[in-house]
Amino acid sequence: MNNIIQKPSPNFGSRDGNPIKYICLHIAAGTLLGTDNWFANPKSQVSSNYGVGYNGEIHQYVNDSNMAWANGVVKSPTAQIVKDNLGVNQNKISLSIENEGYSLDKAPDTQINALVGLIRLLATKYNIPMDRQHIIGHYEIDLIDRPNCPSVDKTIIDKIINKLKNMQKLEITKIEVVGEKTNVSWHRFNDDNQDNNSSGVWEFDGALNNDEVLAKAKTMVDSDIEVLLNLTI
């Protein structure tokens, strides 16, 4: 997935030891640049952990270990995970992702693919189930004041969940340096569709190490494809 660009915000607090339980999606109601500037302003008193742009660029505003100031007050919540944790500030138990634009259902594929990749990365890192109970919209925390955050069409989150479940992977199975060339064998597959498999070999200039091969491989595929090293095959 794309490199994550650091855009530190002064607006954050402590999780006070609370584990991260879910991911909450937001809409910026504006541009990614405008979001950068707003979150950088201490007077705004708002932030999120991440932001995703139309072009797939990902910004991080608040470190995962800290809570962002994104979710506001709980009002008529509909998400069960919120109802089960009403005694806790929701920012302390969630990761928040802002999205450029005005309604997430209108987002281009580049943005959705980057968002899916980011969710998968975070969900895997923090053992968050990739289901509709743990990937929620801001409206499910505050139905009164944020009824269309992140989207007028609420099915977009279901579509994102489906993309998470059907996300393709590419495994690098062999790296062979021959002189000033590096041959990389790969296998592309989908966990839920064994018929959608392919394999091949790339030839890169230079004698590359594993990290360099991994970085090169990520430039060869779409941002929503997870690239892994599996040299035991």
Side-chain angles (χ1 to χ4, degrees):
M1 66 174 302
N2 294 12
N3 292 330
I4 297 175
I5 300 170
Q6 298 300 313
K7 299 279 186 177
S9 170
N11 306 323
F12 64 89
S14 172
R15 291 191 183 276
D16 294 326
N18 288 284
I20 298 170
K21 295 184 177 182
Y22 67 91
I23 294 171
C24 185
L25 306 182
H26 298 253
I27 197 70
T31 65
L32 189 63
L33 177 60
T35 301
D36 293 348
N37 294 334
W38 188 233
F39 288 172
N41 185 349
K43 292 183 180 179
S44 73
Q45 295 289 287
V46 293
S47 64
S48 67
N49 293 100
Y50 295 90
V52 181
Y54 286 147
N55 64 357
E57 193 167 283
I58 298 172
H59 294 177
Q60 182 168 22
Y61 305 106
V62 174
N63 191 282
D64 297 352
S65 61
N66 293 318
M67 72 166 185
W69 297 345
N71 295 326
V73 178
V74 176
K75 296 180 182 178
S76 298
T78 58
Q80 190 60 49
I81 197 164
V82 176
K83 294 178 181 180
D84 290 342
N85 293 276
L86 289 177
V88 182
N89 182 330
Q90 296 302 305
N91 291 314
K92 292 183 184 294
I93 58 173
S94 65
L95 286 166
S96 49
I97 304 176
E98 204 75 40
N99 291 277
E100 184 173 18
Y102 296 88
S103 188
L104 192 57
D105 61 306
K106 306 299 183 184
D109 288 343
T110 49
Q111 184 176 16
I112 293 297
N113 289 341
L115 175 59
V116 168
L118 177 60
I119 291 172
R120 176 175 282 275
L121 176 71
L122 297 173
T124 301
K125 184 175 182 179
Y126 298 106
N127 199 28
I128 300 170
M130 286 181 274
D131 57 32
R132 196 60 185 82
Q133 289 70 49
H134 296 85
I135 312 296
I136 72 169
H138 190 189
Y139 75 94
E140 295 175 85
I141 297 175
D142 180 0
L143 189 59
I144 304 302
D145 294 332
R146 298 291 185 268
N148 295 313
C149 184
S151 181
V152 174
D153 180 0
K154 307 303 187 291
T155 63
I156 185 62
I157 303 181
D158 298 303
K159 293 173 183 175
I160 288 170
I161 299 299
N162 286 335
K163 286 181 74 72
L164 282 165
K165 291 179 178 178
N166 296 315
M167 192 172 187
Q168 286 196 330
K169 298 178 182 179
L170 184 141
E171 286 186 337
I172 296 169
T173 58
K174 185 178 180 181
I175 299 173
E176 183 180 17
V177 176
V178 181
E180 290 302 312
K181 299 285 186 180
T182 301
N183 297 322
V184 178
S185 299
W186 54 267
H187 175 63
R188 181 167 166 171
F189 64 97
N190 187 310
D191 286 334
D192 297 328
N193 184 359
Q194 296 304 314
D195 293 330
N196 191 18
N197 293 348
S198 59
S199 300
V201 179
W202 291 317
E203 182 182 81
F204 297 127
D205 291 331
L208 307 181
N209 62 35
N210 287 3
D211 289 339
E212 290 170 330
V213 167
L214 193 59
K216 280 275 192 181
K218 289 179 179 179
T219 69
M220 302 293 289
V221 297
D222 293 335
S223 60
D224 62 337
I225 296 177
E226 184 178 14
V227 180
L228 309 165
L229 280 177
N230 188 358
L231 303 179
T232 60
I233 293 177

